[in-house]
Amino acid sequence: MEKVLLLLLLLSWTITGALAGGVGLVNVTHLEMFVDKLPDMPRLQAYRIRNSFLEPGNLTIGMYEKIWKFHRDLPATRVYAYGTSRAAATVPGPTIEALQGIPTHITWENHLPSRHILSWDPTIPIPSAPSGVPTVVHLHGGVHPPTSDGHSHAWFTSNFSYVGPSFSSPTSSYPNLQDPGNLWYHDHAIGLTRVNILAGLLGAYTLRSPALESPLRLPHGPEFDRHLILFDRSFLSDGSLFINSTGNNPSIHPQWQPEYFGDALIVNGKAWPFLRVRPRRYRFRIINASNARFYRLFFSNSLTFLHLSSDSVYLSRPVPSRKFLLGPSEIADVIVNFADSPSQSVILLNDASYPFPTGDQPDEFKSSRPVARAKAAAAPPPPPTPEHRAAATRYIAMFEYESATGEPTHLYINGKPYDAPVTETPRSGTSEVWHVINLTDDNHPLHIHLGLFVVLEQRELVGVEKLKDCMMRINDVDKCRLKDHAKGRADPVPAHEKGWKNVFKMQPGFVTRILVRFAMLRSEKPYPFDAAAEPGYVYHCHILDHEDNMMMRPLKLLN
């Protein structure tokens, strides 16, 4: 008998009220849930087959303004969307399907109008373009040359009327030499990432390896292997996207706010959709594409998730859970067996607080009954380099600065703005140990471009206010005696996050030790491209509002 999966992530609040001109915010409690079917985004083959041989793919994907229906009962919404044409463009954009070892070349075209559909803040660092919507595309989780990384200063407007100082070409080349796994692409323009993604510029990218993955006998095919791309949005009564245009500190930043939270939960471009499923196993590649919202996911009838990977790399063996936390930009690749469902319908729920972590931490999963298993990866990823062999040790401190009223004004890493000279210069082909010191009240999902890492320890800081006061004054971990403070409890790394990652949630008041690998996963050699070329890479908090103002730093590799 067919069962029904209703995808719903509960939110704990709703914006209501009226705005000037008689246009009000939509009270989403008046919208009926589960009336729109879960879309499956268009799929683009990122390679060619000619005379039975595989060849590199060449795609042209544009960014277009168009209208989009997020819910049956909402007016159409103006958005920015990726697609091979305006008519084909979608929110999220098409799912790009690549093959391991077969390069993909994508020419990104900007067809956006002269003015943005959302307000942006000129008091934070933004592109110098006097008109047009600056954009640049970053393939999140990709291992590729810096010229194809979507550097935040490599932006360009329509017809290349204006380009950023790091712009070189609209065509990005992705070697696809890394392990198979899940990636996503999104806008990365300096100071505009939060509004460009909010407008709709995001999509999934899947890297497959039939030789490695076929023996795993995982669910496959468009019906049983699905993406769930999650993000939250608010709407005005005319259907337009809403972002508050008044900042927390309007005399300092007239528009910027520290976090954006929408009151409607969107999955694959539809608010609270449903999906009819069969009593069998499904694979869900879940991407948190929200600006700032964390999701702590669980099923209403206690169905189990079986984690295959965290972010872009398979785990060495599958890990079960009943509830897990997904930070902004993190990816969970899971199997769900609906044959185990005790009910005819099931709701996918969320109980994470916002901003996170105001509420409780995720529950630890313990099972007293057998859980479905899957085979281990055909080629398990290698273990990390032993710490004593790391080429360098670095200390990465996260700071939040406030106005006299106690409201955030900006966020820095190591007390430095983004455009300050580079201080992180790892050598290609090496590994480093980073101690990430979170001196703020927020959980910051740290994303490192190019490099993969494993989490070694999460250690609570004691006397954190004393350490914070010292670091804010002199910013020196030795003189501030970090070792004397890093003596609190050690929080275990969740079992499904013990593999290689490109994002991890840095808890407030903790120092998190990670081992970062600046080499191909299965080789100690330098990258098979010039990773030391300009314009380099970056690392940053993936709460987009933090990244834009300016919790991001340059990363320059050396040969």
Side-chain angles (χ1 to χ4, degrees):
M1 183 178 295
E2 189 176 68
K3 297 184 175 75
V4 178
L5 166 64
L6 304 178
L7 294 175
L8 164 66
L9 295 99
L10 291 181
L11 307 180
S12 57
W13 62 291
T14 300
I15 297 176
T16 57
L19 301 178
V23 180
L25 286 153
V26 172
N27 184 340
V28 297
T29 61
H30 297 162
L31 294 176
E32 186 177 352
M33 296 179 177
F34 319 133
V35 296
D36 290 301
K37 185 178 179 181
L38 177 77
D40 189 17
M41 311 324 293
R43 302 183 182 214
L44 297 180
Q45 188 172 287
Y47 52 91
R48 295 186 301 178
I49 302 176
R50 180 179 296 180
N51 299 324
S52 300
F53 289 96
L54 293 170
E55 295 184 348
N58 293 277
L59 298 174
T60 298
I61 299 176
M63 304 159 228
Y64 300 92
E65 180 181 335
K66 64 179 301 180
I67 60 171
W68 185 260
K69 286 282 286 184
F70 284 100
H71 187 276
R72 181 194 66 185
D73 300 325
L74 272 177
T77 302
R78 275 204 307 159
V79 297
Y80 295 158
Y82 288 117
T84 53
S85 67
R86 186 184 305 275
T90 56
V91 177
T95 298
I96 300 170
E97 297 191 322
L99 288 179
Q100 186 186 41
I102 307 299
T104 297
H105 309 287
I106 302 179
T107 299
W108 302 100
E109 295 183 342
N110 185 335
H111 300 285
L112 299 176
S114 59
R115 296 189 61 182
H116 209 290
I117 59 175
L118 299 173
S119 58
W120 68 38
D121 197 320
T123 63
I124 63 177
I126 57 173
S128 57
S131 66
V133 178
T135 65
V136 64
V137 181
H138 168 57
L139 179 57
H140 179 110
V143 178
H144 43 241
T147 52
S148 296
D149 192 53
H151 193 275
S152 57
H153 283 307
W155 53 265
F156 56 100
T157 62
S158 180
N159 296 318
F160 309 103
S161 298
Y162 303 96
V163 299
S166 296
F167 176 81
S168 58
S169 169
T171 300
S172 295
S173 296
Y174 308 119
N176 297 325
L177 294 173
Q178 64 198 82
D179 274 32
N182 301 295
L183 302 85
W184 66 297
Y185 60 96
H186 60 77
D187 184 79
H188 209 263
I190 183 77
L192 300 179
T193 300
R194 72 197 191 286
V195 290
N196 284 350
I197 293 181
L198 192 67
L201 295 179
L202 61 116
Y205 187 107
T206 303
L207 181 58
R208 302 183 185 275
S209 175
L212 289 175
E213 296 175 292
S214 294
L216 305 181
R217 303 180 66 181
L218 300 172
H220 63 278
E223 183 178 358
F224 306 116
D225 183 355
R226 304 289 298 266
H227 277 86
L228 303 181
I229 304 177
L230 316 179
F231 50 91
D232 52 335
R233 298 290 185 269
S234 291
F235 300 93
L236 297 175
S237 56
D238 63 359
S240 57
L241 292 166
F242 172 75
I243 180 172
N244 197 325
S245 58
T246 303
N248 288 30
N249 294 291
S251 63
I252 301 172
H253 299 305
Q255 187 273 334
W256 179 83
Q257 292 192 335
E259 289 97 14
Y260 171 89
F261 297 107
D263 54 348
L265 198 285
I266 313 297
V267 187
N268 291 8
K270 295 294 182 183
W272 306 296
F274 70 89
L275 174 66
R276 297 187 181 276
V277 299
R278 302 181 191 179
R280 55 155 291 164
R281 297 189 310 155
Y282 281 69
R283 181 177 187 174
F284 293 118
R285 304 168 189 256
I286 308 174
I287 302 174
N288 182 353
S290 297
N291 280 39
R293 187 176 292 277
F294 288 65
Y295 298 98
R296 190 159 46 202
L297 301 174
F298 62 100
F299 283 112
S300 58
N301 62 1
S302 298
L303 269 177
T304 298
F305 304 95
L306 194 64
H307 295 258
L308 302 174
S309 71
S310 180
D311 296 332
S312 58
V313 181
Y314 277 100
L315 296 165
S316 58
R317 63 180 58 85
V319 176
S321 76
R322 291 253 168 76
K323 179 183 284 191
F324 67 94
L325 183 67
L326 200 65
S329 83
E330 282 191 301
I331 303 176
D333 191 342
V334 300
I335 287 178
V336 178
N337 191 349
F338 293 105
D340 294 337
S341 176
S343 57
Q344 290 298 300
S345 64
V346 57
I347 304 173
L348 182 61
L349 300 169
N350 164 52
D351 69 358
S353 57
Y354 62 94
F356 194 81
T358 304
D360 297 332
Q361 293 295 307
D363 295 336
E364 182 179 356
F365 172 66
K366 294 181 180 179
S367 177
S368 59
R369 63 184 179 88
V371 176
R373 300 288 178 180
K375 292 182 179 180
T385 302
E387 283 190 71
H388 70 272
R389 289 179 52 199
T393 297
R394 301 185 190 275
Y395 294 89
I396 310 296
M398 296 175 159
F399 296 90
E400 181 178 83
Y401 300 84
E402 298 177 345
S403 66
T405 61
E407 291 289 340
T409 58
H410 59 285
L411 301 98
Y412 282 168
I413 295 176
N414 284 344
K416 299 179 184 298
Y418 172 52
D419 286 330
V422 63
T423 51
E424 281 65 60
T425 55
R427 193 167 297 278
S428 181
T430 67
S431 295
E432 298 188 347
V433 173
W434 288 18
H435 298 253
V436 184
I437 310 157
N438 187 349
L439 299 173
T440 79
D441 294 330
D442 292 324
N443 189 313
H444 297 286
L446 179 69
H447 174 46
I448 302 175
H449 287 214
L450 185 68
L452 288 166
F453 59 88
V454 292
V455 182
L456 303 174
E457 183 186 61
Q458 302 180 95
R459 178 69 63 176
E460 186 180 28
L461 296 167
V462 297
V464 66
E465 289 302 319
K466 181 179 179 181
L467 175 64
K468 178 179 176 180
D469 178 68
C470 181
M471 289 290 289
M472 293 287 280
R473 285 187 292 106
I474 63 175
N475 195 19
D476 187 309
V477 293
D478 291 328
K479 292 181 179 180
C480 291
R481 304 183 68 86
L482 172 65
K483 291 182 179 180
D484 291 346
H485 294 274
K487 293 181 177 179
R489 77 177 192 275
D491 271 11
V493 179
H496 66 278
E497 295 191 75
K498 288 185 176 179
W500 292 97
K501 292 180 63 64
N502 57 59
V503 179
F504 190 71
K505 301 170 287 293
M506 301 298 167
Q507 295 190 71
F510 274 69
V511 55
T512 301
R513 196 169 82 252
I514 62 176
L515 189 137
V516 193
R517 185 185 184 97
F518 293 104
M520 297 300 292
L521 193 57
R522 301 180 184 279
S523 170
E524 294 288 346
K525 297 179 180 179
Y527 295 100
F529 48 81
D530 186 5
E534 295 296 338
Y537 301 91
V538 297
Y539 67 97
H540 57 87
C541 171
H542 220 291
I543 292 177
L544 303 181
D545 315 275
H546 296 179
E547 172 186 345
D548 276 356
N549 189 25
M550 287 295 308
M551 211 171 203
M552 179 164 65
R553 288 288 293 144
L555 180 68
K556 185 71 171 70
L557 269 67
L558 305 176
N559 287 326

